Amino acid sequence: MPSERSLERSLGERLRSFRLRQGLTQRELAQRVAGGVDLSYIGRIERGEQLPSLKVLQKLGRALGVSIGEFFGPASLHRVGRVSKLQL
């Protein structure tokens, strides 16, 4: 089972990838998030220093047009050794 740190890094890398794919700065993404989120918080997530709550992850996903599942991806599910019923 991966450590919490590796989950933080993985989520951060995916967030950065989704953001850059859309050509957004961290500031622009922070402004797009419903209810607002601090620019420095996005930076901490992307650096793997902060693990966002599911609620924040959902808001980030909406702002980027991706589902929460895309932050984890099939590879991450296999790494933790769990296969959800949704994969079947």
Side-chain angles (χ1 to χ4, degrees):
M1 185 171 211
S3 69
E4 186 175 312
R5 265 329 251 179
S6 68
L7 178 60
E8 289 171 346
R9 282 192 302 271
S10 177
L11 282 173
E13 289 168 5
R14 286 183 184 259
L15 175 60
R16 178 178 287 133
S17 173
F18 296 143
R19 178 179 61 78
L20 293 176
R21 216 179 304 163
Q22 293 192 23
L24 298 172
T25 64
Q26 290 178 347
R27 182 177 307 281
E28 290 167 331
L29 176 57
Q31 293 169 345
R32 278 186 169 195
V33 173
V37 71
D38 192 81
L39 160 67
S40 64
Y41 184 58
I42 291 177
R44 288 193 308 272
I45 295 169
E46 288 188 358
R47 289 188 303 273
E49 298 170 357
Q50 179 77 43
L51 187 61
S53 69
L54 287 176
K55 187 174 185 177
V56 169
L57 200 57
Q58 184 176 38
K59 288 181 178 185
L60 289 167
R62 283 186 187 139
L64 292 166
V66 300
S67 70
I68 287 182
E70 290 179 79
F71 284 101
F72 300 96
S76 294
L77 291 175
H78 292 294
R79 275 198 303 271
V80 296
R82 296 182 184 151
V83 178
S84 72
K85 292 179 182 178
L86 296 175
Q87 288 181 296
L88 301 176

